[in-house]
Amino acid sequence: MPRFNRESNNAILLAGILALVVGVGVARFVFTSLLPAMLEDSISIAFAGVLASINYLGYLSGSIFSIFIKDIHTKVKYFRIGLLLCVISSFVLGITENSILWIFARLFAGFGAAMALVVGSAVVMLKLQSTNKTKAMGIHFSGLGFSIVITDLVMRAVFYYGGDWKDAWLILAIIGAFLSCYPAYILRFDKQPTDEVVKHNFDKSLFSPMVIMLILAYFTEGVGMVVQATFLPDIVNSLDGLDGYGGYVWLAVGIAGIPSCIIWMRLAHRFGSINIMIVAMLLQIVGILIPTFSSNIVMNLISGLLFGATFIGLVALFMNFGGQLSKKNPVFIMGAITSAYGIGQIIAPLYCVALIKQFNTYNQALYLTAIIVACGVLMLTYAKVNFKDAKQNMQ
């Protein structure tokens, strides 16, 4: 059957999407969906911020680790280990409220997510038989949007039928285990004799000025992404007259994210990756600032749509651009830029919690986040003007 043909582009892309649903949805983003319920029942906002930073610390460590994975079969092995960690860590959150176990669970979930996203995306890119990988990878990264929508709908179904957030974690872990089987089967390479295995050594020459600027800009995007990715439902619920609407705004994030990668990648193919990154980050700044000046539900739904459409698209744009800059070893620069992204994700929840406790509102955290993302826009603009690589339209 074509769906079980490991060399079929459709099978490869489906496997990549399902891996993102498990690695990014179950292991990372559903935490945002479940956060309001957990805040009411079990944890404080301060501990939520700690858990978010711990998760991103695991993600950072996985991203750095991925840079040093040399051969393709080892990449596949750690990709599968990552999916397993995502499932087990989610299961742990459903069976215990022990703070120490939660910290370790979120740490390993972050590491697993990096294996699923960074290493998994590199495996997909290497396996695809396509003359236009930019567009094909746009389809793959649409899995980020699906990861939010699917896990959020599962959570809603659990609550609808009388379950609580613990039940949701357990059911999501079971679904994650089931969904992991297909990518674990499809995303592999035929065994080669040991002396023929392709190895990718650490190559410092790839760190050109363009790559360094890309790394710094992706750091600012890590900050911009994580504030809303962690707190958006609670941000909306805290606005006058919008208590209870946060979950709908988060669902809008996922819905907007599904087609966004395909659209942004097509635009990048036509107008150049750097140009489109700049446009997406400017729109993201608008989305970040909307809750600071409006408690209108329509405006805040637009904020969610802008966030989903931009942060998911920007992951695809940066990862694809970095992967193509590194030629035959896409995991190398993908891992490097994702490490910077991870550092931004660790820092942001901590300063957010501090500012929320100081001012009893999210506004100051959102202002600072918008300023940091604006710095990323300036960096990409500088790169566009000064670096040859940025002027090329990566196909």
Side-chain angles (χ1 to χ4, degrees):
M1 294 176 64
R3 280 186 301 244
F4 291 95
N5 178 2
R6 293 192 183 103
E7 304 308 316
S8 164
N9 277 353
N10 289 337
I12 293 166
L13 290 172
L14 176 59
I17 288 170
L18 292 179
L20 292 177
V21 171
V22 177
V24 181
V26 174
R28 297 184 74 203
F29 288 145
V30 80
F31 182 87
T32 304
S33 297
L34 291 169
L35 183 58
M38 291 191 293
L39 287 173
E40 286 183 10
D41 185 47
S42 184
I43 66 174
S44 67
I45 188 69
F47 189 52
V50 170
L51 289 174
S53 290
I54 288 292
N55 183 246
Y56 298 129
L57 177 61
Y59 188 65
L60 171 63
S61 64
S63 302
I64 295 172
F65 179 80
S66 69
I67 299 173
F68 301 97
I69 304 175
K70 293 184 178 180
D71 70 83
I72 55 177
H73 300 303
T74 306
K75 287 180 174 69
V76 170
K77 180 179 75 173
Y78 280 105
F79 165 68
R80 291 174 173 176
I81 291 172
L83 293 177
L84 181 62
L85 287 174
C86 292
V87 171
I88 293 174
S89 61
S90 299
F91 183 77
V92 168
L93 296 183
I95 62 172
T96 180
E97 293 186 48
N98 183 286
S99 298
I100 301 300
L101 289 178
W102 273 37
I103 287 172
F104 278 106
R106 296 310 289 161
L107 181 69
F108 286 119
F111 184 89
M115 295 299 103
L117 176 56
V118 181
V119 179
S121 297
V123 172
V124 168
M125 183 176 279
L126 289 168
K127 279 188 70 72
L128 280 172
Q129 305 295 319
S130 174
T131 56
N132 187 353
K133 290 194 177 184
T134 297
K135 291 181 180 178
M137 291 302 290
I139 296 172
H140 164 68
F141 285 115
S142 69
L144 295 170
F146 279 113
S147 74
I148 293 175
V149 172
I150 292 171
T151 55
D152 188 78
L153 291 177
V154 169
M155 177 211 73
R156 289 174 183 275
V158 171
F159 286 171
Y160 179 81
Y161 287 105
D164 58 16
W165 58 265
K166 295 179 185 177
D167 299 318
W169 279 117
L170 290 174
I171 290 171
L172 284 161
I174 293 168
I175 292 173
F178 176 75
L179 294 181
S180 296
C181 296
Y182 187 75
Y185 173 78
I186 294 293
L187 298 180
R188 55 168 290 187
F189 296 88
D190 292 333
K191 285 290 184 181
Q192 297 170 282
T194 305
D195 58 351
E196 294 181 16
V197 171
V198 177
K199 292 189 176 183
H200 299 118
N201 294 319
F202 188 90
D203 185 0
K204 291 187 290 185
S205 68
L206 288 174
F207 285 98
S208 64
M210 176 65 244
V211 169
I212 292 172
M213 196 61 69
L214 197 70
I215 289 170
L216 294 174
Y218 206 38
F219 162 80
T220 71
E221 174 53 23
V223 172
M225 170 267 183
V226 76
V227 175
Q228 287 183 298
T230 303
F231 300 109
L232 184 58
D234 199 52
I235 291 172
V236 175
N237 287 339
S238 70
L239 298 175
D240 290 339
L242 295 188
D243 186 27
Y245 284 93
Y248 296 106
V249 175
W250 181 248
L251 185 59
V253 171
I255 292 171
I258 292 171
S260 71
C261 293
I262 299 171
I263 294 169
W264 287 118
M265 297 289 262
R266 287 182 181 273
L267 291 171
H269 178 70
R270 182 172 181 182
F271 298 107
S273 293
I274 296 291
N275 292 329
I276 299 305
M277 288 177 196
I278 290 170
V279 171
M281 291 177 77
L282 288 172
L283 288 174
Q284 186 177 84
I285 290 170
V286 174
I288 289 170
L289 291 175
I290 284 175
T292 68
F293 62 80
S294 175
S295 58
N296 180 279
I297 183 57
V298 175
M299 289 297 293
N300 280 277
L301 282 170
I302 292 172
S303 171
L305 291 170
L306 284 174
F307 176 58
T310 56
F311 100 83
I312 292 175
L314 283 162
V315 170
L317 289 165
F318 274 90
M319 293 279 279
N320 182 70
F321 190 71
Q324 295 208 35
L325 285 174
S326 55
K327 311 294 183 193
K328 295 181 180 179
N329 187 14
V331 76
F332 185 81
I333 292 182
M334 280 184 176
I337 65 172
T338 305
S339 298
Y341 192 73
I343 293 171
Q345 291 176 319
I346 293 169
I347 294 170
L350 299 178
Y351 78 65
C352 281
V353 168
L355 290 172
I356 293 164
K357 292 178 74 173
Q358 177 71 28
F359 297 99
N360 202 31
T361 175
Y362 282 96
N363 286 358
Q364 285 71 25
L366 294 173
Y367 292 143
L368 179 55
T369 302
I371 291 169
I372 292 171
V373 177
C375 291
V377 171
L378 293 176
M379 291 175 192
L380 291 178
T381 304
Y382 179 85
K384 175 187 171 183
V385 173
N386 292 280
F387 301 140
K388 180 180 177 181
D389 289 342
K391 299 174 184 177
Q392 296 175 356
N393 186 14
M394 304 297 289
Q395 298 297 314

